[in-house]
């Protein structure tokens, strides 16, 4: 290659690099009011394993949370969402060694899942849930988790849907104040009750109006129709994500494999940066099936983080 050809080629490469860099630094889509803005640049995905995937084994005590961490290591998974229902204890002598074990294996305990139910019809009942939440915020801090999952619960007897959304939003707002004071984020999971659909789930988060509260977006929990549309409208509010293997069609009866590539494309278009945690609830053998799904999740996370 002569000098002139070299300079022409090199110049073209520099220009291409500048254009590519400019594209990745374009402003991301605008975030809804109350939600922190997305950073400029491409999406950034991390893979997670939701401990609830092994619920039968954890409940039967044939598996421990340390075993879940080991599975993350074996499959190259970045972190775990630690559903806390089967913790043997919440004292320091259990939680702190578990945190150390995760760290020494380079697995992040990025989230815990609680049984807090937000939609309570009286101030006294809402205060009970907030007291419960504060306990789990302490646990999250000791484990090093930044994200805490909460739920709406069912519509209280005698209350309208609108009233129930108001109850849940008030509890979420107050809970976010407690969480934010500790640097923790609350994620309202769409999981039945008054969060069967994206519209109501988003409304609760919107009314809470806090940078410390968002959605734990479970892509497999929305009731049909138009599940993929509901996922997409929820992404701007998502602070963490659960990925399921099957989706319900619009008839409400038939379930088919999720198109994970389509899902990742939607999240990438919104410049999402965060965890995509596998929550396996299909009828297959979890021990046999989960590792393969985790490896596929890792492949897509790498592909769409580019």
């Amino acid at each position: 290659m002569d000098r002139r050809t070299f300079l022409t080629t090199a110049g073209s490469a520099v220009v291409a690099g500048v254009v590519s860099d400019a594209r990745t630094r374009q402003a991301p889509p605008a975030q809804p009011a109350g939600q922190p803005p997305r950073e400029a640049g491409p999406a950034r995905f991390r893979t997670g394993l939701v401990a609830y995937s092994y619920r039968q084994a954890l409940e039967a005590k044939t598996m421990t949370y340390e075993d879940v961490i080991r599975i993350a290591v074996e499959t190259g998974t970045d972190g775990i969402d630690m559903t806390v229902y089967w913790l043997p204890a919440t004292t320091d002598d259990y939680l702190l060694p578990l945190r150390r074990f995760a760290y020494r294996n380079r697995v992040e305990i990025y989230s815990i899942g609680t049984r807090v139910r937000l939609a309570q019809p009286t101030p006294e009942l809402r205060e009970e849930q907030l007291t419960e939440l504060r306990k789990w915020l302490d646990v999250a801090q000791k484990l090093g988790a930044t994200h805490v999952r909460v739920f709406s619960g069912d519509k209280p007897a005698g209350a309208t849907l609108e009233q129930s959304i108001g109850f849940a939003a008030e509890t979420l707002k107050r809970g976010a104040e407690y969480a934010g004071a500790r640097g923790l984020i609350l994620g309202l999971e769409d999981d039945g009750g008054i969060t069967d659909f994206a519209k109501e789930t988003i409304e609760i988060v919107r009314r809470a109006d806090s940078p410390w509260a968002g959605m734990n977006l479970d892509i497999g929990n929305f009731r049909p129709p138009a599940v993929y549309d509901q996922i997409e409208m929820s992404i701007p509010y998502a602070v963490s994500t659960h990925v399921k293997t099957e989706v319900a069609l619009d008839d409400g009866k038939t379930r088919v494999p999720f198109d994970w590539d389509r899902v990742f494309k939607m999240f990438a278009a919104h410049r999402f940066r965060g965890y995509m945690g596998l929550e396996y609830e299909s009828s297959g053998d979890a021990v046999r099936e989960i590792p393969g799904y985790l490896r596929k999740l890792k492949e897509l996370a790498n592909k769409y983080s580019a």
Side-chain angles (χ1 to χ4, degrees):
M1 181 184 293
D2 60 32
R3 182 172 179 273
R4 177 174 295 177
T5 303
F6 171 78
L7 291 174
T8 302
T9 304
S12 299
V14 169
V15 170
V18 170
V19 171
S20 175
D21 185 63
R23 285 174 179 167
T24 62
R25 292 183 179 278
Q26 289 175 354
Q31 283 289 93
Q35 294 297 303
R38 302 273 192 218
E39 292 294 322
R44 179 179 168 88
F45 296 103
R46 290 294 176 265
T47 55
L49 170 57
V50 184
Y52 189 79
S53 302
Y54 292 104
R55 54 200 171 278
Q56 291 94 347
L58 288 167
E59 186 173 10
K61 301 189 186 326
T62 58
M63 177 180 282
T64 67
Y65 287 97
E66 289 84 355
D67 292 329
V68 178
I69 292 169
R70 292 185 183 100
I71 292 167
V73 173
E74 292 164 3
T75 56
T77 302
D78 299 305
I80 63 169
D81 180 332
M82 212 176 74
T83 319
V84 297
Y85 308 161
W86 307 284
L87 282 177
T90 56
T91 53
D92 287 1
D93 59 353
Y94 174 74
L95 296 176
L96 300 184
L98 182 63
R99 177 176 179 170
R100 179 185 63 208
F101 183 78
Y103 178 79
R104 289 179 67 88
N105 282 281
R106 301 306 184 263
V107 174
E108 182 182 11
I109 302 175
Y110 67 91
S111 175
I112 68 168
T114 73
R115 283 195 169 106
V116 171
R117 298 289 187 267
L118 303 175
Q120 303 297 331
T122 67
E124 293 77 18
L125 291 173
R126 289 193 286 276
E127 190 59 43
E128 285 181 11
Q129 292 301 302
L130 289 168
T131 299
E132 179 76 1
L133 174 63
R134 285 191 287 267
K135 179 183 82 173
W136 291 115
L137 293 176
D138 288 341
V139 170
Q141 283 192 302
K142 290 176 181 179
L143 289 171
T146 302
H147 178 259
V148 178
R149 286 190 284 128
V150 295
F151 301 89
S152 70
D154 294 326
K155 184 174 69 171
T160 65
L161 179 58
E162 174 66 20
Q163 288 172 325
S164 302
I165 290 171
F167 298 150
E170 180 182 339
T171 315
L172 182 60
K173 186 177 186 66
R174 290 184 59 198
E177 292 172 359
Y178 297 134
R182 304 167 185 236
L184 305 181
I185 299 170
L186 299 185
L188 171 62
E189 183 168 337
D190 51 296
D191 187 36
I194 63 174
T195 56
D196 267 336
F197 298 99
K199 179 182 176 183
E200 288 74 26
T201 313
I202 290 170
E203 183 62 15
I204 294 169
V205 174
R206 191 189 66 78
R207 291 191 197 182
D209 191 26
S210 171
W212 300 102
M215 279 182 66
N216 183 80
L217 173 49
D218 190 312
I219 68 169
N221 280 352
F222 288 129
R223 286 180 57 189
V227 170
Y228 285 99
D229 291 344
Q230 294 188 71
I231 293 169
E232 182 148 33
M233 67 188 289
S234 302
I235 294 172
Y237 299 88
V239 291
S240 190
T241 306
H242 283 181
V243 177
K244 295 284 178 48
T245 61
E246 296 177 344
V247 59
L249 298 183
D250 285 355
D251 63 9
K253 299 175 183 178
T254 309
R255 300 189 70 83
V256 298
F258 245 117
D259 184 347
W260 280 6
D261 199 76
R262 178 179 177 183
V263 170
F264 268 88
K265 281 180 182 176
M266 291 192 293
F267 275 84
H270 285 271
R271 313 288 178 87
F272 179 79
R273 293 181 176 179
Y275 272 94
M276 306 292 277
L278 175 70
E279 187 173 48
Y280 185 79
E281 292 186 347
S282 301
S283 58
D285 181 348
V287 173
R288 183 181 300 112
E289 298 292 335
I290 286 174
Y293 282 115
L294 287 172
R295 292 185 179 98
K296 178 63 175 176
L297 199 66
K298 188 76 171 179
E299 177 186 323
L300 289 168
N302 289 337
K303 174 182 176 181
Y304 285 102
S305 291

